[in-house]
Amino acid sequence: MSTYDVFLNTSLSKYANPDLAKRDVLCVFTTFSDMRPKLDTFVFNDGFRKKLLQFDGTIPVLYKGATYNIPVSIWLMNKHPYNPPIVYVRPTSTMQIKSGRYVDMNGKIDLPYLKEWKHGEMKAKSLPEKAKVDLPSE
């Protein structure tokens, strides 16, 4: 049993596919061990609020020969894995968000991987790895 089993079972109980969501989340934790889950309120652009599973942590990104640990927040939609996660860069107090092709001024990450999300072909566990590859091309 993982450290997060009870928390995930409770947090994902209202999700449409809790077992699939839990499987993906546990895979993310296996690959990126500093990711931490929490249940929090996500506010959509239209003001609608929803309690969703969020995990925060860093992903290592190679940029101009150096590796930077970029802090991110990944929100799993309640219909995961049928809907893609929503991902944000969460800058520290000494960082600034630089908008570009894949990151907007609010830090929202919009990778092709997320735009082309298809259930059964794409998994949340691959998202941090894809971000490692795509973000430096900014």
Side-chain angles (χ1 to χ4, degrees):
M1 185 193 279
S2 100
T3 308
Y4 298 112
D5 266 351
V6 173
F7 172 78
L8 291 175
N9 288 340
T10 304
S11 300
L12 296 171
S13 65
K14 294 184 179 178
Y15 274 56
N17 301 287
D19 293 335
L20 294 175
K22 181 179 175 183
R23 182 200 63 206
D24 276 0
V25 169
L26 290 174
C27 286
V28 168
F29 295 151
T30 301
T31 307
F32 295 90
S33 60
D34 78 325
M35 292 285 184
R36 298 290 175 253
K38 67 181 178 180
L39 194 61
D40 206 354
T41 302
F42 183 84
V43 181
F44 291 86
N45 290 339
D46 63 2
F48 180 74
R49 296 172 174 268
K50 183 103 178 143
K51 282 265 189 206
L52 296 174
L53 183 69
Q54 172 192 7
F55 39 108
D56 293 325
T58 60
I59 54 172
V61 173
L62 184 64
Y63 181 70
K64 294 185 179 179
T67 299
Y68 299 91
N69 288 314
I70 305 299
V72 296
S73 289
I74 301 173
W75 296 82
L76 283 192
M77 298 296 97
N78 63 338
K79 292 189 179 177
H80 181 82
Y82 294 94
N83 293 27
I86 296 175
V87 186
Y88 284 90
V89 172
R90 291 291 182 217
T92 64
S93 61
T94 61
M95 293 173 70
Q96 281 188 300
I97 294 174
K98 180 183 174 197
S99 64
R101 183 170 33 161
Y102 299 129
V103 181
D104 72 15
M105 290 175 48
N106 296 315
K108 185 176 182 191
I109 298 173
D110 197 19
L111 296 170
Y113 189 75
L114 295 169
K115 286 182 177 182
E116 299 162 6
W117 186 271
K118 291 184 184 100
H119 166 63
E121 294 177 28
M122 300 180 164
K123 309 247 185 276
K125 68 180 182 180
S126 302
L127 181 59
E129 193 65 38
K130 289 301 224 175
K132 282 172 56 174
V133 173
D134 290 343
L135 285 178
S137 65
E138 288 283 286

